[in-house]
C-alpha cells in the first residue's frame, strides 16, 4: 500500500448521458432514454468503475485506460451530462458507493453534480449530501421564461427558484448557476435582469457563457444563415463586459474567462482541467488523461451497454503537452508559469505582449483585458500546426 502522502491527485468524471429532452442548442453526448436503459447503464458504469481494482491485468477491457487506485488520491469528482439528476437517488448512491470502495479519497474532496431545475426534490438532494456530493450545479441559462422557451429548456424561472431553495434547505452550501448570454431574442437589458435576479439568491459560483451555435444542432439549422435573429456583436460584447462589472460589484471575482466565484468557491474540478491535472472518466464518451495519454470511451451506447467501452487512445507528444499548457492554462486569470516552454515561445510571447494581449507579472504570463476580449484568437496562437 502506497502512503497517502505519495499518492498523486486525481479527478474523476462520471458521464450520465440522459436527459428529459434534448435542448435545441446542445451538441453534448446526451438524449432521452427509458428507465430500463438508465438502470442498465448504471450497472455498466459501476462495472467499469470496479474494473479499476484490476488495472492493467486480466482481459483487454481491464487494461483500457489503466488507472491503478493504489497510486492516486481523489481530490474532486464531477457528475456531468446530460442531466445526472434524472437518475433515481439509489442509482446515484450506488455509483458513489462504488467510487468510494475503489478509490482513496481526500477528506476535503469536492464532488459536484449537475442538475436541471425541476428534476430534483427533497429526497434526491438529501441523498446527494448523504453519499458525499457537496456541490450542485444548476443549469438555469436565463431568468426570462421566453428566452428559456426559445432554448428548448424544460423548466421555468419559477421552477429554478424552487429547486434552488430546496437545495439550500437540504443543506447545500456550494451552489453554481450556469447562465448563457447572446440568446435569440435576448437584449442587453434582459441579460442584466437575469444577472440581477440570480445575484439576489447569492449562489457561491456563477458560470456565464456566450451561446455558441454548434453544427448539427437544430439551432445551427435555424440561425446559421439568419444571424439577424441573434443579438448583434456589439450587444453580445456589452453583455460580456456587463457580466464582469455587475458580478464584481456583488463580490464575485472572475478566476477564468467565463467563471466567477465568491472567495474560496472557485470550482476546483474545473481548475484541474485547465492545469492539466490527471483525470479518469467513466461512462459513455468520457475522456481520461493519465500519464500524458488521453483515452476516450466509446460514444456508442449499444456498445457501452455490452461492456465494450474501448474508444480511442492517444499518446500526447511534447508539442501536445506544450500547446495544452498554454491553451488551457491561459484561460485562468492568474495565468501560467511558462517554465521550460518560455524559450520555445519566446518570440510569440514578445509579440503578444507588444500587442498588449498578454502581460507578465512575477514570472507568470496572463491575458490582458484586451486579450480576454479576443481570447479565442490569442489562445489559437499557441497551436503550432
Amino acid at each position: 500500500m502506497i502512503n497517502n502522502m505519495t499518492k498523486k491527485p486525481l479527478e474523476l468524471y462520471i458521464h450520465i448521458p440522459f436527459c428529459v429532452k434534448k435542448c435545441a442548442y446542445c451538441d453534448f453526448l446526451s438524449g432521452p432514454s427509458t428507465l430500463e436503459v438508465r438502470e442498465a447503464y448504471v450497472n455498466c458504469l459501476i462495472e467499469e468503475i470496479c474494473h479499476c481494482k484490476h488495472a492493467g491485468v486480466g482481459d483487454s477491457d481491464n487494461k483500457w485506460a489503466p488507472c491503478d487506485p493504489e497510486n492516486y488520491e481523489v481530490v474532486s469528482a464531477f457528475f456531468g451530462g446530460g442531466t445526472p439528476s434524472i437518475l433515481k437517488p439509489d442509482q446515484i448512491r450506488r455509483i458513489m458507493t462504488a467510487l468510494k470502495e475503489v478509490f482513496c479519497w481526500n477528506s476535503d474532496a469536492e464532488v459536484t453534480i449537475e442538475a436541471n431545475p425541476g428534476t430534483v426534490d427533497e429526497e434526491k438532494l438529501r441523498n446527494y449530501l448523504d453519499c458525499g456530493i457537496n456541490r450542485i450545479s444548476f443549469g438555469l441559462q436565463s431568468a426570462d421564461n421566453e428566452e428559456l422557451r426559445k432554448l428548448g429548456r424544460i423548466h421555468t424561472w419559477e421552477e429554478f427558484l424552487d429547486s434552488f431553495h430546496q437545495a439550500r434547505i437540504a443543506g447545500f452550501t456550494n451552489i453554481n448557476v450556469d447562465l448563457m448570454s447572446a440568446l435569440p431574442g435576448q437584449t442587453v437589458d434582459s441579460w442584466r435582469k437575469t444577472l440581477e435576479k440570480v445575484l439576489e439568491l447569492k449562489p457561491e459560483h456563477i458560470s456565464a457563457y456566450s451561446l455558441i451555435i454548434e453544427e448539427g444542432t437544430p439551432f445551427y439549422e435555424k440561425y446559421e444563415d439568419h444571424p439577424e435573429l441573434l443579438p448583434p456583436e456589439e450587444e453580445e460584447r456589452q453583455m460580456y463586459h456587463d457580466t464582469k462589472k455587475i458580478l464584481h460589484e456583488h463580490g464575485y471575482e472572475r478566476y477564468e474567462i467565463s467563471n466567477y466565484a465568491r472567495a474560496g468557491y472557485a470550482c476546483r474540478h474545473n481548475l484541474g482541467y485547465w492545469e492539466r491535472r490527471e483525470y479518469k472518466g467513466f461512462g459513455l464518451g468520457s475522456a481520461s488523461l493519465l500519464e500524458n495519454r488521453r483515452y476516450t470511451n466509446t460514444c456508442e451506447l449499444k456498445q457501452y451497454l455490452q461492456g465494450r467501452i474501448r474508444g480511442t487512445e492517444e499518446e500526447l507528444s511534447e508539442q501536445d503537452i506544450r500547446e495544452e499548457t498554454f491553451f488551457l492554462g491561459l484561460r485562468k486569470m492568474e495565468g501560467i508559469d511558462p517554465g521550460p516552454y518560455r524559450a520555445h515561445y519566446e518570440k510569440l510571447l514578445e509579440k503578444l505582449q507588444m500587442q498588449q494581449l498578454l502581460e507578465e507579472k512575477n514570472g507568470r504570463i496572463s491575458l490582458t483585458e484586451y486579450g480576454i476580449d479576443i481570447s479565442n484568437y490569442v489562445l489559437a496562437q499557441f497551436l503550432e500546426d
Side-chain angles (χ1 to χ4, degrees):
M1 173 76 75
I2 297 177
N3 186 284
N4 280 6
M5 296 299 292
T6 66
K7 290 180 182 288
K8 296 186 291 184
L10 180 71
E11 300 192 327
L12 303 178
Y13 175 77
I14 305 93
H15 188 61
I16 308 299
F18 309 121
C19 52
V20 177
K21 174 189 172 186
K22 187 86 167 178
C23 295
Y25 59 87
C26 179
D27 72 333
F28 293 161
L29 184 58
S30 61
S33 65
T34 64
L35 293 173
E36 291 75 18
V37 168
R38 292 177 207 165
E39 176 62 17
Y41 182 85
V42 168
N43 290 334
C44 290
L45 188 60
I46 292 171
E47 184 176 351
E48 183 188 357
I49 293 167
C50 291
H51 268 176
C52 283
K53 289 188 292 188
H54 313 288
V57 298
D59 61 52
S60 58
D61 278 334
N62 287 340
K63 296 176 184 178
W64 171 245
C67 177
D68 188 346
E70 289 292 310
N71 297 330
Y72 293 98
E73 179 184 55
V74 175
V75 295
S76 73
F78 197 102
F79 284 77
T83 304
S85 55
I86 200 174
L87 293 185
K88 297 177 181 179
D90 177 64
Q91 292 172 323
I92 293 291
R93 179 178 290 276
R94 284 160 50 205
I95 296 169
M96 278 297 296
T97 297
L99 292 170
K100 287 183 175 181
E101 287 178 349
V102 170
F103 289 96
C104 171
W105 286 68
N106 184 284
S107 60
D108 190 39
E110 175 192 88
V111 187
T112 303
I113 188 167
E114 290 185 330
N116 266 2
T119 63
V120 294
D121 54 30
E122 182 180 353
E123 180 188 5
K124 285 184 177 180
L125 292 164
R126 293 193 182 281
N127 178 77
Y128 297 159
L129 286 166
D130 187 55
C131 68
I133 297 172
N134 51 29
R135 183 175 184 271
I136 190 166
S137 178
F138 284 113
L140 170 60
Q141 315 313 346
S142 172
D144 184 294
N145 285 336
E146 179 59 20
E147 292 173 4
L148 291 173
R149 185 191 66 78
K150 289 180 179 178
L151 281 175
R153 301 294 288 175
I154 64 168
H155 64 86
T156 63
W157 162 251
E158 291 76 18
E159 287 172 320
F160 162 76
L161 276 180
D162 181 63
S163 295
F164 186 95
H165 289 312
Q166 284 194 63
R168 283 291 194 226
I169 293 169
F172 275 95
T173 58
N174 193 351
I175 301 179
N176 170 62
V177 179
D178 279 342
L179 300 176
M180 193 177 290
S181 60
L183 306 179
Q186 192 176 56
T187 64
V188 170
D189 185 57
S190 71
W191 173 244
R192 288 173 181 161
K193 288 180 179 177
T194 282
L195 291 175
E196 290 164 0
K197 284 184 175 182
V198 171
L199 286 167
E200 290 178 3
L201 301 173
K202 296 181 172 59
E204 284 67 34
H205 189 284
I206 294 176
S207 297
Y209 299 93
S210 291
L211 172 66
I212 298 176
I213 306 296
E214 301 285 4
E215 191 170 355
T217 65
F219 261 34
Y220 186 86
E221 298 174 11
K222 185 173 183 178
Y223 295 111
E224 178 64 17
D225 295 327
H226 297 282
E228 72 278 3
L229 299 177
L230 297 169
E233 186 175 344
E234 59 271 19
E235 289 191 14
E236 180 178 354
R237 183 53 48 195
Q238 185 62 53
M239 293 177 195
Y240 186 78
H241 287 296
D242 284 349
T243 302
K244 181 192 175 186
K245 179 178 182 294
I246 294 171
L247 294 187
H248 178 74
E249 291 172 350
H250 285 77
Y252 294 80
E253 290 301 319
R254 179 172 58 186
Y255 67 94
E256 188 271 346
I257 290 175
S258 300
N259 285 274
Y260 301 77
R262 287 160 53 188
Y265 287 98
C267 180
R268 285 180 269 155
H269 186 83
N270 284 342
L271 281 170
Y273 284 142
W274 298 317
E275 294 167 359
R276 299 193 73 255
R277 184 179 296 146
E278 287 189 272
Y279 54 87
K280 171 68 174 175
F282 295 103
L284 187 70
S286 63
S288 302
L289 177 65
L290 300 165
E291 298 183 349
N292 286 318
R293 297 186 74 88
R294 180 163 288 115
Y295 306 83
T296 305
N297 284 359
T298 179
C299 293
E300 298 296 328
L301 181 59
K302 183 177 180 180
Q303 287 186 8
Y304 187 84
L305 294 179
Q306 293 173 343
R308 296 152 56 201
I309 66 173
R310 184 180 294 270
T312 60
E313 179 180 353
E314 173 190 13
E315 183 171 3
L316 300 182
S317 66
E318 183 65 25
Q319 176 182 330
D320 294 328
I321 297 168
R322 184 171 62 237
E323 290 176 350
E324 287 185 3
T325 298
F326 281 78
F327 187 86
L328 296 174
L330 284 173
R331 293 187 62 89
K332 301 182 301 173
M333 296 303 97
E334 69 173 12
I336 60 169
D337 176 356
Y341 304 128
R342 180 185 289 275
H344 182 87
Y345 284 126
E346 183 176 8
K347 291 184 179 179
L348 176 58
L349 292 173
E350 289 179 358
K351 183 185 80 169
L352 294 174
Q353 288 183 65
M354 287 287 291
Q355 295 173 336
Q356 298 184 343
L357 297 171
L358 289 180
E359 60 185 357
E360 182 169 357
K361 294 179 182 178
N362 302 318
R364 298 186 71 85
I365 304 292
S366 60
L367 293 168
T368 63
E369 282 299 319
Y370 177 39
I372 293 171
D373 281 349
I374 55 172
S375 58
N376 287 342
Y377 164 78
V378 180
L379 299 179
Q381 300 306 299
F382 292 93
L383 302 180
E384 300 173 33
D385 290 336

